[in-house]
Amino acid sequence: MNNRLLKLAQAAPYLAAMHEARSFTKAADLMNVHQTAVSHRIRAIEDLIGVQLFERTTRTLTFTTAGEILCAAAHANITDLEAALLRVQAKKRSSTIRVSVPPSLAMKWIVPLLTMAKTAGLDISVQAQTRLVDFARDDADVGIRYGLGPYPGLRTIRLSRSYMQPLASPAYIEANGIDLAKPWAKPIDILMDHTTESDPIPFGWAEFKASEPAFTQKIEPISLFDRTDLALQAATGGLGVALGRTLLYENDVKMGYLVPLGEPKPVEPSDWLVTSYEFAETQKFKDFTRWITEQVERTICLETRS
């Protein structure tokens, strides 16, 4: 920042007060200083930039175009700064843990756990987002990412090893005469989350076919979806067979809505808990990490017992 901009920044509170008060006397009252302090600071800025900010007479004060522009800009910046300070202070005082998760994971796993979180004394705010959260700019404390990890510049914890699992409803299995001992003996109706198929992360029907020699049919989906939870919901409704992954399908299997076809296949990507190094040192993060790790273990154990 050059010297002129630094002096202008230092004068910003005076310019902002002038924007709000529209007079030297009232601006001085707002700042709790003498009127001459305001007029001297404004005169110094005019001399600095070589532009007159106000037309002065013995009775009136009129803003020039330059005065309107600079005073309005100073007022906007100080207002933004005050709002940002309030957000920082509120964030520091708040007990809420803001968690950014993919929409599928939010709907199929995190949201059903919120009651348990409250019982454990955690106040969790869920932000369902497809984009990767930027902890330096976004209002999130932690995130859960599905990928290869770890993520440079962030504190990362792998929550579990991940598996892919084809699933269908009991009604679909019965209607199509699927033998659970040989589920790939006849063609199935494939339900596909096309975003996972196009994503560079190795997960999808192509990866499943490569890992399952008995699955020989051509991959031609009857329906495409842009989220895995939607494909799983379609499978629950009896439309066909969807490919689920760890943490997204266990509860549906437990409730009897979906039935696994064949054995789950391990995949490279996993669910990772991520946060900034700064937030990783807080007790809130440690409490959340302990709780979310317990929920992952509990979910996977429930699926194993089902």
Side-chain angles (χ1 to χ4, degrees):
M1 181 181 292
N2 62 42
N3 187 56
R4 186 170 68 167
L5 285 178
L6 179 60
K7 289 182 178 180
L8 190 60
Q10 292 171 340
Y14 296 86
L15 297 172
M18 286 298 296
H19 174 80
E20 186 172 341
R22 317 302 287 186
S23 81
F24 288 123
T25 301
K26 291 180 181 179
D29 290 340
L30 285 177
M31 299 188 67
N32 197 28
V33 297
H34 196 275
Q35 183 266 341
T36 55
V38 177
S39 59
H40 287 166
R41 183 58 68 97
I42 296 299
R43 181 69 71 182
I45 291 299
E46 290 178 323
D47 292 342
L48 176 70
I49 63 177
V51 176
Q52 189 172 348
L53 302 181
F54 306 98
E55 296 285 352
R56 302 169 179 84
T57 68
T58 55
R59 294 186 178 183
T60 63
L61 177 74
T62 304
F63 281 64
T64 64
T65 300
E68 286 284 3
I69 292 172
L70 282 182
C71 290
H75 185 268
N77 286 329
I78 287 187
T79 300
D80 288 344
L81 186 60
E82 289 174 341
L85 179 59
L86 289 175
R87 286 175 58 196
V88 169
Q89 292 173 332
K91 182 177 179 180
K92 183 178 180 180
R93 293 192 300 266
S94 175
S95 62
T96 301
I97 302 169
R98 296 163 299 180
V99 185
S100 173
V101 295
S104 290
L105 191 65
M107 292 300 297
K108 300 298 290 185
W109 190 61
I110 290 288
V111 170
L113 291 175
L114 291 182
T115 300
M116 296 179 64
K118 285 193 174 295
T119 302
L122 297 177
D123 182 10
I124 297 175
S125 172
V126 177
Q127 301 175 3
Q129 299 172 322
T130 55
R131 62 180 176 81
L132 297 183
V133 64
D134 182 344
F135 295 105
R137 295 178 174 84
D138 295 330
D139 290 330
D141 299 310
V142 300
I144 298 178
R145 294 181 181 177
Y146 186 70
L148 299 177
Y151 298 93
L154 297 175
R155 175 75 169 93
T156 60
I157 299 172
R158 191 169 81 161
L159 293 176
S160 71
R161 188 178 185 185
S162 190
Y163 293 82
M164 54 184 168
Q165 174 68 70
L167 303 123
S169 70
Y172 180 85
I173 291 171
E174 181 179 358
N176 290 272
I178 295 177
D179 181 356
L180 294 181
K182 298 178 180 179
W184 317 123
K186 57 174 62 178
I188 60 167
D189 297 305
I190 293 177
L191 307 175
M192 180 182 288
D193 173 3
H194 67 84
T195 57
T196 61
E197 303 291 333
S198 60
D199 197 295
I201 295 173
F203 173 87
W205 279 105
E207 284 74 21
F208 177 79
K209 183 174 182 178
S211 67
E212 177 53 80
F215 186 82
T216 58
Q217 79 173 74
K218 190 174 181 180
I219 300 174
E220 294 180 335
I222 65 163
S223 292
L224 294 173
F225 304 89
D226 62 359
R227 284 172 26 183
T228 302
D229 62 320
L230 299 179
L232 290 172
Q233 187 62 39
T236 299
L239 190 60
V241 180
L243 190 62
R245 63 173 177 84
T246 301
L247 300 184
L248 296 187
Y249 71 87
E250 290 88 348
N251 287 332
D252 285 338
V253 171
K254 177 193 173 189
M255 298 300 293
Y257 301 142
L258 292 173
V259 176
L261 300 182
E263 296 297 322
K265 303 294 182 181
V267 292
E268 289 185 64
S270 302
D271 285 292
W272 297 80
L273 183 65
V274 297
T275 191
S276 65
Y277 283 106
E278 178 185 6
F279 191 75
E281 297 301 317
T282 66
Q283 189 61 45
K284 282 201 299 184
F285 178 73
K286 295 173 184 177
D287 292 341
F288 179 77
T289 300
R290 187 182 309 111
W291 178 81
I292 201 72
T293 302
E294 291 172 355
Q295 301 314 308
V296 170
E297 293 174 353
R298 174 179 171 274
T299 299
I300 295 174
C301 286
L302 281 174
E303 193 275 333
T304 302
R305 291 197 298 264
S306 61

